[in-house]
Amino acid sequence: MRKGTYAGYKGKEFRFIEGENNIKLISNDINDSKLGFTPSSKNNNVYSKIVDVEETDYLVYITPFATYMGYEFPASKSSEGNILLDTNNIEIARKLGFEQTDKYLYSKIVSKREVEITENKKQYSL
């Protein structure tokens, strides 16, 4: 499940980190070395490439949502194969068996098979 900042570059979409006058694209695919990505000195399964924003096709912020029992919730990875759902709607929380996890927050961990994940992409600018 993807969440955060992503950039379109050379027909693919990559996570990115903002720099001062550029961005650092992040990949876990060794094949992206063909695009000039280099391995991280700390983790051999992570590759990166620094590019100017003008070299990208677009920048977006992705927020994942999960549809569960006919309702849409913000979604986060919980543990392998599970999704964490949150709501501040006490009626829906009670109806669907959510537990209170904060003063006005109710949460439930469900199997990924029980939900349909969608992504909301909003244009992002530096």
Side-chain angles (χ1 to χ4, degrees), residues 6 9 19-20 24 29 35 43 60-61 64 71-72 74 83 95-96 100 106 123-124:
Y6 285 78
Y9 178 74
E20 281 189 38
K24 184 179 196 177
D29 185 353
L35 296 175
N43 184 339
V60 293
Y61 189 88
Y71 297 94
E72 188 175 77
I83 304 294
K95 180 179 179 179
L96 300 179
Q100 190 169 7
Y106 303 85
Q123 185 176 351
Y124 187 86

Side-chain angles (χ1 to χ4, degrees), residues 3 7 9 16 20 29 34 38 40 49 55 67 78 90-91 93 99 102 110 115 123-124:
K3 182 177 184 175
Y9 178 74
F16 76 85
E20 281 189 38
D29 185 353
K34 296 174 188 171
T38 57
S40 166
K49 180 177 182 176
E55 294 179 64
T67 302
S78 173
I90 189 169
E91 293 165 8
E99 293 182 21
D102 204 352
V110 298
V115 298
Q123 185 176 351
Y124 187 86

Side-chain angles (χ1 to χ4, degrees), residues 62-119:
I62 297 176
T63 306
F65 289 91
T67 302
Y68 174 71
M69 305 289 285
Y71 297 94
E72 188 175 77
F73 302 96
S76 304
K77 271 189 179 176
S78 173
S79 58
E80 193 166 319
N82 294 318
I83 304 294
L84 174 65
L85 307 177
D86 293 312
T87 185
N88 60 1
N89 185 318
I90 189 169
E91 293 165 8
I92 292 173
R94 286 181 180 159
K95 180 179 179 179
L96 300 179
F98 282 50
E99 293 182 21
Q100 190 169 7
T101 54
D102 204 352
K103 187 173 183 178
Y104 299 109
L105 185 67
Y106 303 85
S107 302
K108 184 172 186 175
I109 296 173
V110 298
S111 168
K112 189 173 181 178
R113 294 181 304 244
E114 296 179 73
V115 298
E116 180 182 331
I117 303 292
T118 56
E119 294 179 341

Side-chain angles (χ1 to χ4, degrees), residues 2-47:
R2 302 183 311 160
K3 182 177 184 175
T5 52
Y6 285 78
Y9 178 74
K10 306 269 185 183
K12 292 182 75 175
E13 209 164 67
F14 299 96
R15 289 177 290 137
F16 76 85
I17 300 168
E18 290 184 44
E20 281 189 38
N21 299 314
N22 51 37
I23 61 173
K24 184 179 196 177
L25 302 173
I26 310 293
S27 173
N28 298 103
D29 185 353
I30 191 170
N31 294 318
D32 289 329
S33 58
K34 296 174 188 171
L35 296 175
F37 282 71
T38 57
S40 166
S41 59
K42 297 176 184 174
N43 184 339
N44 288 336
N45 296 321
V46 176
Y47 303 86

